[in-house]
Each structure stands twice: as C-alpha cells, then as structure tokens.
Amino acid sequence: MTSPSLHTPDAETRLVARVTAELTSLSADARLRVLAKIMALLAPPPVPAAPTVAKAEADSILHFGVWQDERTAEEIIADIYAARTENPRPLLDEL
C-alpha cells in the first residue's frame, strides 16, 4: 500500500486541519514560538550586500594617515619640528 502524496488537495487539507487543531491546543506564547519558526522557514535566506564604492572609500579613509610607531606623540611632534627647514623661496607677497 502506498502512502498518499502530501501534494494532493485532500492531504493538504487534512494537514492544515491537524496543524490548526494542534496550534489551538497550545498556549498563546507557544503558538507565537511555533509561528515564528514557521515564518523563519518560509523566509528566503538573507543575501549579503555587495560592498559599495562608498563603503570601500570610507574604509580606506579610516586608515588614511595611520601608522604604527613606538614613539610617544610628544616625540613624534618633536621630530616633525626638528625636521623643518626654512624655505629659501620668497613668499608670494614678498615678490
């Protein structure tokens, strides 16, 4: 004897009636949990969004001007000031 297909109208009607009867016997909280699981099964899987150009630019800006250094901020600033030289060219307003 073969089992009836679940895709026939009769089988689907019986299944819906059985699930409905079982759901009505549960507490409201349990019904919500069951329905949430059913909705999760019916929902399509999330598709990860492709990174946009704006996201890539934002990520590169986050690292712009950043480096690793063993010196303290004060030592780095002192080195910058020490490395400055005078510009031998005249300023525009001095021309």
Side-chain angles (χ1 to χ4, degrees), residues 17-93:
R18 193 174 77 210
V19 169
T20 304
E22 289 188 27
L23 279 175
T24 54
S25 69
L26 297 174
S27 69
D29 188 49
R31 279 194 299 262
L32 288 176
R33 287 196 312 268
V34 169
L35 292 174
K37 288 182 180 183
I38 291 171
M39 294 301 294
L41 290 172
L42 296 175
V47 178
T52 62
V53 173
K55 169 89 169 98
E57 288 175 0
D59 288 343
S60 66
I61 289 172
L62 288 175
H63 301 291
F64 183 73
V66 177
W67 69 90
Q68 295 289 325
D69 203 319
E70 299 297 321
R71 300 173 293 170
T72 66
E74 290 79 16
E75 291 171 327
I76 293 170
I77 293 169
D79 288 346
I80 291 171
Y81 281 123
R84 288 186 177 173
T85 59
E86 283 193 40
N87 187 350
R89 295 183 297 169
L91 297 175
L92 289 177
D93 58 345

